[in-house]
Amino acid sequence: MDHILVANNVSKTFGNYTALSNISLKIPTNCIYGLLGPNGAGKTTFIRIINQITYQDQGEILFNGEPLAPKHISVIGYLPEERGLYKSMKVGEQALYLAQLKGLSKNEAKKRLKYWFDRLDIGDWWNKKIQELSKGMAQKVQFIVTVLHKPKLLIFDEPFSGFDPINANIIKDEILQLKENGTSIIFSTHRMESVEELCEHIALIHKSEKILDGKLSEIKKAYKNNIFNVGLQLEQDNEMLLKNLQDKFNILSSSYNEEERQLDFVMKLPSSQTGDVLATLSNHANVNRFEETIPSANDIFIQTVNKKDNDR
Amino acid sequence: MIGKLALIIRREYLAKVRNRSFIVMTILSPLLIVGMIVLIVYLTKINDNEKRVISVLNESAFFYDEFSSSETLSYVRFDGLTLQQAQDSTNSLGYYGLLYLPQMDNAEEVAQAAYLYTKDNPNTQVTQKLEAVFQKKLRQGRMEKLGVSAEQFSEIEKPFEINLATFEGEKSIKGINEIKAFIGGGFGYAIMMFIIIYGGFVMRSVIEEKTSRIIEVIISSVKPFQLMLGKIIGTSLAGITQFVIWIVSASLLLFLVVLFLGLDLSVLSGEAAMAPGPMGSAADFNSIVNDDMLLYTREILNIPWALLIGSFLIYFILGYLIYSSIYAAIGAAVDNETDTQQFIFPIILPLMLAIYVGFFSVFSNPHGPIAVGFSLFPLTSPIVMLMRLPGGIGEGGVPLWQLILSIALLIVTFLGIVTLAAKIYRVGILMYGKRPTYKELFKWLRY
């Protein structure tokens, strides 16, 4: 698999404070890569190093196989978490300025801006000043400016903060579209629901160290612990059944609805082999639910971070 | 890279010159300046025009022509009135005072018995004038007693003025050193004002980028140093634009005022030349101006203007870059303008020091140890050296090695300060939330 960005043993300290220690990551080309971690973990420092705003003390970073260099700035797009625009400058003028700083010619920038302004339905804002716009509107302008120069690698740091749900959805669709068009995307956040929706790969950074990375689906598989939700439809009240089951299996919790004669419980199995269990259950009642619980990204996040903290 | 720098300079320039308060200041300032000048001239004139009238009741046989009207005093004779009548008339006519000379045997006695009646305590200038008249008359009388004729007396009274020359034998004139230092001081003062005004603009512009949170967007495209440099250059170009507009429009306005209102600016030039220091009274100066106008003109033309203006540009650019990069670093270190105070004072200090040292020490002794020291020290040299330079280079002026050393020190300092400021700037622009201490700033230098 091609990698747009590879980091090998990257470390960075500020005085006595270690921001990153020995971070190694491989970010595949044309995928959405979730960079996760609690506040202060070192995500922003890592992103700033990719953008060459600061530099690592040790380690190397390869961009498309070459050492990261100033020329790569024009093929990287960055939407920082701390973002804003000049308040007293007009929207169009400002967008042109920022696009030209990324190396676009004035005419090309104008053409592309027109396309994007129409696409996001903000065409008539061109001559407005930023201070006249709402926060969400300014964020749209900011998003356009980030993607305008068609970067190969896009870095979004908490892209949805400041958006209402409707506009957040529009931006999410745009991000997916950009990925379809071949862009590689680093997506930094601590909001896990968007991670589930967008990311194929993730890395979890905690207290300056990488504690987990890989394909999200594989990580989830690895974090499965053979817990199943089961629902049984009984033909008649059978108080002995639950007791019998509890003797045979490890039942974590249960509930019984007398009216519906519905018995629900959560059980942990010794392995992921389910055939015998299902057969046994079927003997007693009609199984109307049998599903393995898959940990959410949020669970994995909390679990891993807590485990790491307890290890210390 | 150059292209990006040009883009930044252009944006900073336009952002500044389009700013409403900047436009208002640009338009209003010349009006204010010219208004001030007109006001000063007008007030000076009023002061001069106040001619005091003194009535004289002379019962003696002496003192007749001696009290003749001058520019500031005029005399009205009251003959044949009693003292009481004279006093009443003086009062009712609103004259300044009544000089009463009683009938006596000789001038000495008249003088002893004479009185000046005024409504309030009399002005010292008036009493001095009157006393001088008496003094002259009495001295003449005493001389005559000693056998000195009136003719001989006027010979004795002929005023004396010392001849002045330099060692090279050129005739020199009073006050020229002060005028020269004043011209140099004007350049120095312009540098200081420029630094304080536009350095502050640079600082506020950096703070604005921080508070609007655009800074990280920008420095993901350009280097922080480029941004800082572009900001400093763009702001100073806006400043120069403003200065040029001020100078051109103020001179134009002044010209129009002089043309249509017939304002006499020579009053002002006398006052202005007075301002710098202890150099005798304005009257002395004016008489010198009239007598030696030619000499002065020659001396002023003799000031090495090319050298002065050339050095002004060098000191201006280097001095401004040093100070405005410090201002930029301060702006980067803080989150809002109120936090800047503790950092600004230490950088205004050397500027103030330079101006004061300049006015108190360099004017009186342009090549003394204090003047030399401060014209070498890089944070004060842009101002102090310019005050010394109108004296020229070499003999009688600034030794060449001092000028070269001063500029060399300034360049070294410039490189050092800009490097340090850029480091603080680079770290500071991404720091939010807390007010840094000097200790922390020092730590940033090592990041």
Side-chain angles (χ1 to χ4, degrees):
Chain A
M1 193 193 292
D2 272 353
H3 292 103
I4 182 103
L5 195 95
V6 176
N8 290 325
N9 298 314
V10 171
S11 297
K12 173 78 182 172
T13 56
F14 296 103
N16 299 325
Y17 176 73
T18 305
L20 293 173
S21 67
N22 276 319
I23 300 277
S24 296
L25 291 176
K26 287 184 172 177
I27 297 176
T29 305
N30 195 17
C31 96
I32 300 183
Y33 193 95
L35 193 59
L36 318 178
N39 292 322
K43 289 172 295 181
T44 301
T45 304
F46 184 67
I47 290 173
R48 282 179 181 167
I49 289 173
I50 300 175
N51 280 293
Q52 302 171 58
I53 290 170
T54 47
Y55 300 90
Q56 69 268 31
D57 299 333
Q58 278 158 13
E60 61 164 0
I61 292 184
L62 302 176
F63 189 94
N64 262 341
E66 313 166 28
L68 191 67
K71 67 170 179 180
H72 294 124
I73 282 176
S74 59
V75 291
I76 298 177
Y78 175 34
L79 185 68
E81 184 179 8
E82 295 282 5
R83 51 183 177 258
L85 295 162
Y86 289 113
K87 291 202 170 47
S88 52
M89 227 173 149
K90 286 179 181 161
V91 172
E93 205 178 345
Q94 179 146 234
L96 269 181
Y97 171 63
L98 294 171
Q100 282 175 280
L101 283 186
K102 277 287 183 190
L104 287 184
S105 75
K106 197 170 180 179
N107 285 334
E108 183 63 27
K110 247 185 198 160
K111 223 162 65 190
R112 293 194 197 175
L113 278 172
K114 188 160 171 10
Y115 166 80
W116 273 103
F117 273 49
D118 288 345
R119 188 179 166 104
L120 293 186
D121 213 14
I122 56 173
D124 45 352
W125 295 357
W126 188 269
N127 276 322
K128 280 199 174 156
K129 285 186 178 172
I130 294 292
Q131 58 201 8
E132 300 166 32
L133 304 184
S134 73
K135 196 177 173 204
M137 294 157 108
Q139 297 275 2
K140 271 190 178 175
V141 177
Q142 200 115 40
F143 178 82
I144 293 175
V145 168
T146 309
V147 302
L148 195 71
H149 59 291
K150 296 185 180 162
K152 289 191 180 127
L153 175 64
L154 264 169
I155 303 171
F156 294 114
D157 199 348
E158 299 292 355
F160 302 123
S161 69
F163 279 116
D164 58 76
I166 294 167
N167 280 314
N169 223 29
I170 293 175
I171 295 302
K172 194 186 82 192
D173 291 343
E174 291 298 337
I175 292 176
L176 287 170
Q177 186 62 47
L178 285 162
K179 192 235 154 190
E180 286 303 303
N181 297 346
T183 314
S184 312
I185 293 164
I186 296 177
F187 178 64
S188 164
T189 187
H190 49 250
R191 287 184 23 189
M192 292 303 144
E193 63 276 29
S194 46
V195 174
E196 304 263 2
E197 285 177 80
L198 291 171
C199 300
E200 298 147 69
H201 283 71
I202 60 165
L204 184 53
I205 296 179
H206 180 51
K207 292 193 174 157
S208 82
E209 287 171 34
K210 183 188 80 179
I211 55 178
L212 180 71
D213 71 335
K215 238 180 160 159
L216 185 58
S217 54
E218 281 164 17
I219 288 175
K220 284 195 165 189
K221 228 177 265 171
Y223 271 71
K224 281 194 308 197
N225 37 16
N226 306 322
I227 290 178
F228 292 81
N229 288 323
V230 184
L232 297 181
Q233 176 70 57
L234 307 187
E235 281 157 18
Q236 61 201 52
D237 286 344
N238 186 347
E239 285 168 25
M240 288 307 289
L241 177 61
L242 182 61
K243 209 162 181 320
N244 279 341
L245 290 174
Q246 274 169 336
D247 290 343
K248 271 186 208 159
F249 305 112
N250 180 8
I251 308 254
L252 301 175
S253 65
S254 64
S255 69
Y256 180 61
N257 184 332
E258 283 186 32
E259 213 170 293
E260 309 257 330
R261 288 205 289 272
Q262 172 75 27
L263 176 65
D264 291 317
F265 56 91
V266 180
M267 65 200 263
K268 184 171 169 61
L269 297 181
S271 75
S272 55
Q273 298 300 313
T274 57
D276 294 347
V277 182
L278 258 177
T280 314
L281 289 174
S282 302
N283 284 341
H284 293 289
N286 185 25
V287 178
N288 60 7
R289 195 152 68 95
F290 189 87
E291 114 194 321
E292 186 171 16
T293 56
I294 296 186
S296 68
N298 199 34
D299 295 336
I300 296 172
F301 180 93
I302 293 171
Q303 201 181 328
T304 322
V305 167
N306 284 342
K307 184 162 168 274
K308 190 78 190 172
D309 283 344
N310 292 335
D311 285 352
R312 283 173 201 237
Chain B
M1 285 295 134
I2 292 295
K4 285 186 183 177
L5 185 61
L7 277 171
I8 297 169
I9 292 174
R10 184 170 164 273
R11 195 209 82 85
E12 293 296 332
Y13 180 82
L14 289 178
K16 196 74 241 165
V17 297
R18 283 182 193 163
N19 183 296
R20 196 164 299 149
S21 63
F22 185 87
I23 295 173
V24 170
M25 276 305 289
T26 310
I27 296 172
L28 275 190
S29 294
L31 292 176
L32 285 176
I33 292 170
V34 171
M36 283 274 283
I37 292 177
V38 170
L39 190 71
I40 290 170
V41 171
Y42 181 66
L43 290 179
T44 318
K45 272 207 160 156
I46 288 182
N47 219 13
D48 280 358
N49 287 348
E50 199 194 345
K51 200 165 189 174
R52 299 194 171 94
V53 182
I54 292 191
S55 49
V56 182
L57 177 59
N58 190 3
E59 296 172 352
S60 76
F62 311 94
F63 299 100
Y64 193 78
D65 292 333
E66 282 82 359
F67 294 101
S68 60
S69 298
S70 71
E71 262 184 40
T72 51
L73 274 183
S74 64
Y75 301 94
V76 175
R77 296 187 169 280
F78 284 173
D79 289 334
L81 298 180
T82 67
L83 179 56
Q84 190 57 50
Q85 283 170 332
Q87 279 176 344
D88 291 346
S89 341
T90 305
N91 215 357
S92 60
L93 286 170
Y95 291 163
Y96 188 77
L98 168 69
L99 181 63
Y100 174 56
L101 304 168
Q103 164 89 52
M104 290 288 167
D105 291 343
N106 55 48
E108 291 281 346
E109 282 175 27
V110 172
Q112 289 303 326
Y115 267 93
L116 174 68
Y117 299 98
T118 54
K119 204 172 171 191
D120 306 309
N121 282 333
N123 182 310
T124 4
Q125 276 183 341
V126 175
T127 54
Q128 274 175 357
K129 277 231 160 92
L130 294 176
E131 278 161 2
V133 174
F134 282 110
Q135 187 71 42
K136 195 175 172 192
K137 176 80 181 169
L138 294 180
R139 201 187 292 142
Q140 197 177 354
R142 290 166 196 161
M143 289 291 186
E144 268 166 26
K145 243 185 223 166
L146 295 171
V148 180
S149 72
E151 216 166 70
Q152 285 168 320
F153 177 71
S154 70
E155 193 68 22
I156 291 169
E157 285 289 282
K158 217 172 169 184
F160 170 76
E161 226 175 279
I162 194 162
N163 293 316
L164 301 170
T166 62
F167 288 118
E168 286 76 41
E170 276 178 48
K171 197 176 174 194
S172 65
I173 37 180
K174 278 186 204 162
I176 192 68
N177 272 340
E178 282 79 1
I179 292 179
K180 283 182 178 174
F182 195 72
I183 290 169
F187 281 117
Y189 198 75
I191 290 183
M192 185 191 81
M193 290 309 292
F194 199 92
I195 287 173
I196 290 181
I197 296 176
Y198 299 102
F201 280 161
V202 169
M203 186 181 75
R204 275 190 289 279
S205 157
V206 174
I207 293 176
E208 191 214 323
E209 273 172 2
K210 267 190 88 170
T211 50
S212 71
R213 299 287 195 267
I214 195 176
I215 187 73
E216 199 166 348
V217 176
I218 303 252
I219 58 170
S220 64
S221 308
V222 301
K223 287 197 165 63
F225 182 70
Q226 281 179 311
L227 181 61
M228 184 176 108
L229 199 64
K231 197 172 273 303
I232 289 172
I233 296 175
T235 307
S236 60
L237 288 179
I240 290 169
T241 309
Q242 193 173 45
F243 255 57
V244 169
I245 293 176
W246 280 349
I247 290 168
V248 170
S249 58
S251 355
L252 210 67
L253 261 176
L254 207 57
F255 176 71
L256 291 178
V257 168
V258 171
L259 205 65
F260 289 110
L261 300 182
L263 218 53
D264 183 10
L265 289 182
S266 63
V267 184
L268 201 67
S269 67
E271 294 294 309
M274 262 296 293
M279 51 166 291
S281 73
D284 281 353
F285 184 82
N286 279 332
S287 70
I288 295 168
V289 167
N290 294 334
D291 293 346
D292 290 331
M293 203 60 194
L294 211 69
L295 262 178
Y296 273 96
T297 319
R298 209 186 67 201
E299 279 289 336
I300 286 173
L301 288 177
N302 270 350
I303 289 176
W305 287 103
L307 170 78
L308 196 61
I309 289 170
S311 326
F312 170 73
L313 290 177
I314 293 174
Y315 280 106
F316 171 75
I317 291 169
L318 289 174
Y320 174 73
L321 285 177
I322 287 178
Y323 275 100
S324 57
S325 54
I326 300 178
Y327 269 106
I330 293 175
V334 300
D335 275 354
N336 55 62
E337 218 179 318
T338 39
D339 289 348
T340 59
Q341 296 305 327
Q342 56 163 337
F343 299 112
I344 286 198
F345 181 65
I347 63 167
I348 301 250
L349 200 66
L351 290 173
M352 302 295 279
L353 200 66
I355 289 287
Y356 282 116
V357 164
F359 278 142
F360 288 112
S361 179
V362 179
F363 273 22
S364 53
N365 188 3
H367 307 303
I370 290 179
V372 171
F374 277 92
S375 63
L376 293 181
F377 181 62
L379 292 180
T380 51
S381 62
I383 293 166
V384 177
M385 185 56 98
L386 284 175
M387 292 185 177
R388 297 178 61 200
L389 273 179
I393 289 267
E395 252 180 282
V398 179
L400 188 61
W401 68 266
Q402 286 183 6
L403 182 65
I404 292 172
L405 180 61
S406 163
I407 292 178
L409 283 175
L410 198 62
I411 291 174
V412 171
T413 311
F414 159 69
L415 295 175
I417 296 246
V418 168
T419 313
L420 294 183
K423 277 189 177 172
I424 291 180
Y425 180 83
R426 193 166 63 85
V427 178
I429 46 178
L430 295 173
M431 294 274 180
Y432 293 110
K434 57 178 178 179
R435 195 157 109 190
T437 59
Y438 280 104
K439 204 175 137 200
E440 274 171 281
L441 290 190
F442 186 70
K443 259 175 33 194
W444 292 0
L445 295 178
R446 291 178 293 141
Y447 282 0

